[in-house]
C-alpha cells in the first residue's frame, strides 16, 4: 500500500488517476482547488478506505506546502506525488497574441505559470523533502502536454509552462535518483474529460478526433494507466522520461 497525493483530483484526469491507485489498494489524498463538491464525488467513488480530501490554491506557496503537510499527517506519509492540477486552455484563458490586450496577456501568463509550473515545483519541493527526511524512495509523475512540443498558438503560456514542467521533471530525475526517487512526465494529446465535452460534441469535434489516425481522442483512463505504471517500482528505470500519450497525433524526434 502506497500513499498517493494527486493534485487537481476533483475531476477529469486527476480523478481517473486517483481511481486507478485506489483500485490497486493504495490510499489517496484527493487534492482540489475550489470545487469541493466535485472532489467529494471523486472521494466517494474511490474503492477501499483511508482516502482523504485536501484543499489548497496552488498559486499560493504557503497553501501549497500545507497541502503536502496535510496529506503527510492524514495519510501517515506520501510515497507518490502526481502533479496533475493545471489551469487548462479554455475560452476564458485564450490569449492569442493578436487578440488580447497587454493586461489580459500578463494575467493569463501569470495564472498559468503560477499554477502549472510553480505550483508543481513547490509541491514537488515539499513532498521531496518529506521523502528525504524519511530516507524513503518514491515517485513523482508530472502531467505535461503534447502542446509543449507541438505548440499552442492560442495558449502560448500553457505550452511554455508544460515545456518547463517537462524540463523541471528531467532536472529532478537526475538530482533525486541517488535518493531512490524517480521523476517522470506524461505528455497527453487531446483527452476527453468533462471539461472538453462541449468541444467534442460541437462542430469542432470531428476535427479534434481527426488529429489522431485512430480517429478518436484519448481517455482519462489511458492517461491514468500510464501514470500508474510510471509511479511503480518496476518503472524506476524510466526516470527522466517524458512519455507521449497522443495516439500518434504528433510525433517528435
Ligand atoms: N484534457 C486534456 O485534453 C489534456 C491534454 C493534455 C494535458 N492535460 C493536462 O492534464 C491535467 C488535467 O487536465 P484536465 O483536463 O483533467 O483538467 P481539469 O478538468 O481542468 O481539472 C483541473 C484540476 O486542477 C485543479 N486546479 C486548477 N487550478 C488550481 C489552483 N489554482 N489550485 C489548485 N488546484 C487547481 C482543479 O481544481 P478545482 O476545480 O477544484 O479548482 C481541477 O481539479 C492538466 O495538467 C492538463 O494540463 C489535459
Amino acid at each position: 500500500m502506497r500513499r498517493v497525493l494527486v493534485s487537481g483530483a476533483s475531476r477529469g484526469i486527476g480523478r481517473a488517476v486517483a481511481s486507478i491507485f485506489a483500485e490497486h489498494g493504495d490510499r489517496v489524498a484527493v487534492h482540489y482547488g475550489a470545487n469541493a463538491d466535485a472532489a467529494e464525488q471523486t472521494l466517494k467513488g474511490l474503492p477501499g478506505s483511508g482516502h482523504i480530501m485536501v484543499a489548497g490554491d496552488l498559486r499560493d506557496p504557503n497553501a501549497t506546502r500545507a497541502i503536502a503537510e496535510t496529506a503527510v499527517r492524514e495519510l501517515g506519509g506520501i510515497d507518490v506525488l502526481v502533479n496533475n492540477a493545471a489551469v487548462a486552455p479554455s475560452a476564458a484563458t485564450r490569449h492569442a497574441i493578436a487578440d488580447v490586450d497587454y493586461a489580459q496577456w500578463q494575467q493569463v501568463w501569470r495564472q498559468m505559470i503560477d499554477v502549472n509550473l510553480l505550483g508543481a515545483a513547490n509541491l514537488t519541493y515539499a513532498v521531496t523533502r518529506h521523502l528525504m527526511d524519511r530516507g524513503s524512495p518514491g515517485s513523482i509523475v508530472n502531467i505535461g502536454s503534447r502542446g509543449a512540443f507541438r505548440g499552442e498558438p492560442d495558449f502560448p503560456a500553457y505550452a511554455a509552462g508544460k515545456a518547463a514542467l517537462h524540463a523541471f521533471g528531467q532536472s529532478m530525475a537526475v538530482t533525486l535518483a541517488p535518493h531512490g526517487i524517480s521523476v517522470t512526465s506524461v505528455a497527453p494529446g487531446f483527452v476527453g474529460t468533462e471539461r472538453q465535452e462541449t468541444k467534442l460534441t460541437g462542430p469542432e469535434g470531428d476535427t479534434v478526433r481527426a488529429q489522431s489516425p485512430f480517429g478518436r481522442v484519448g481517455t482519462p483512463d489511458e492517461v491514468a494507466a500510464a501514470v500508474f505504471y510510471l509511479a511503480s517500482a518496476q518503472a524506476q528505470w524510466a526516470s527522466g522520461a517524458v512519455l507521449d500519450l497522443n495516439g500518434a497525433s504528433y510525433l517528435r524526434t
Side-chain angles (χ1 to χ4, degrees), residues 8 10-11 13 33-35 57-58 84 158 162 189 191 195-196:
S10 51
R11 60 180 188 167
I13 292 170
N35 201 337
D57 188 339
L58 290 166
N84 166 79
Y158 180 76
K162 291 296 188 180
V191 180
R195 183 172 61 77
Q196 307 280 31

Side-chain angles (χ1 to χ4, degrees), residues 203-235:
E204 271 183 276
D206 285 343
T207 312
V208 172
R209 281 181 284 276
Q211 288 175 357
S212 163
F214 286 103
R216 65 172 181 90
V217 298
T219 68
D221 287 345
E222 286 172 320
V223 178
V227 171
F228 186 77
Y229 164 69
L230 290 172
S232 70
Q234 296 93 312

Side-chain angles (χ1 to χ4, degrees), residues 59-175:
R59 289 172 300 184
D60 175 348
N62 291 326
T64 302
R65 180 152 60 186
I67 294 164
E69 286 169 353
T70 303
V72 166
R73 193 174 57 249
E74 296 193 17
L75 294 179
I78 300 173
D79 307 294
V80 176
L81 167 65
V82 181
N83 280 313
N84 166 79
V87 177
S90 68
T93 58
R94 187 175 180 278
H95 56 291
I97 198 164
D99 299 338
V100 292
D101 65 25
Y102 192 39
Q104 285 171 289
W105 174 260
Q106 290 176 71
Q107 188 266 324
V108 180
W109 269 90
R110 176 51 60 206
Q111 189 189 6
M112 286 189 158
I113 297 300
D114 276 353
V115 176
N116 304 6
L117 179 60
L118 299 181
N122 291 337
L123 203 52
T124 298
Y125 179 93
V127 171
T128 296
R129 295 298 291 250
H130 158 72
L131 287 167
M132 286 173 164
D133 289 348
R134 271 171 52 206
S136 297
S139 319
I140 299 169
V141 185
N142 298 318
I143 311 298
S145 174
R146 171 186 66 182
F149 305 112
R150 197 188 59 156
E152 294 283 356
D154 292 345
F155 302 92
Y158 180 76
K162 291 296 188 180
L165 183 65
H166 296 160
F168 169 64
Q170 292 186 314
S171 299
M172 288 299 102
V174 176
T175 206

